[in-house]
Amino acid sequence: MKVIATKLRGNPNNDRLGYLYAHLIEFGSNWELATSSNLPKSGELFIHRGYEALVDRVFRENELIILDTERLEFQGGDCEYGAMGKEARPATSEDDVVTILDCLTSAPM
């Protein structure tokens, strides 16, 4: 599942781990707002490898990050989906940023 997210926080005990906040999820060729029904629980994505080096140092605050996520095999935390830091890349014009921004700005506050 492809997701657009922003940095949320690193793990203070292990700099390889961290969290992103999901804003949009790609379904087919459309982007939809991330909600508790399509991204269960907290709306957070768990980065289980490479957070500090490949996400926190590379992306600015509020920069849109696109990555493929998978359902986590282990349970017990608030996140059901996660990815490795190497999966993260910045949003570009090829990602139809106009549509992405339209989805984000039309979201209810």
Side-chain angles (χ1 to χ4, degrees), residues 15-33:
D15 64 2
R16 294 178 301 150
L17 309 177
Y19 299 87
L20 302 178
Y21 183 77
H23 297 284
L24 298 172
I25 298 173
E26 187 178 48
F27 289 101
S29 61
N30 297 314
W31 290 99
E32 294 183 15
L33 287 174

Side-chain angles (χ1 to χ4, degrees), residues 2 4 31 59 63-67 88-101:
K2 191 177 286 188
I4 294 178
W31 290 99
F59 296 96
E63 183 174 0
L64 296 178
I65 301 167
I66 297 179
L67 69 163
R89 66 176 181 80
T92 67
S93 59
E94 294 175 10
D95 296 307
D96 196 6
V97 175
V98 172
T99 300
I100 293 168
L101 293 175

Side-chain angles (χ1 to χ4, degrees), residues 10-86:
N11 182 317
N13 300 316
N14 187 336
D15 64 2
R16 294 178 301 150
L17 309 177
Y19 299 87
L20 302 178
Y21 183 77
H23 297 284
L24 298 172
I25 298 173
E26 187 178 48
F27 289 101
S29 61
N30 297 314
W31 290 99
E32 294 183 15
L33 287 174
T35 65
S36 59
S37 63
N38 59 24
L39 190 71
K41 296 191 180 179
S42 64
E44 296 179 8
L45 303 169
F46 180 57
I47 302 300
H48 49 85
R49 184 174 293 149
Y51 181 81
E52 176 69 25
L54 300 171
V55 176
D56 200 43
R57 291 183 192 167
V58 175
F59 296 96
R60 296 181 305 272
E61 293 299 316
N62 298 315
E63 183 174 0
L64 296 178
I65 301 167
I66 297 179
L67 69 163
D68 287 316
T69 62
E70 296 179 351
R71 185 174 290 275
L72 297 171
E73 293 180 19
F74 57 89
Q75 297 297 319
D78 286 339
C79 299
E80 290 189 18
Y81 289 88
M84 291 188 289
K86 69 179 183 178

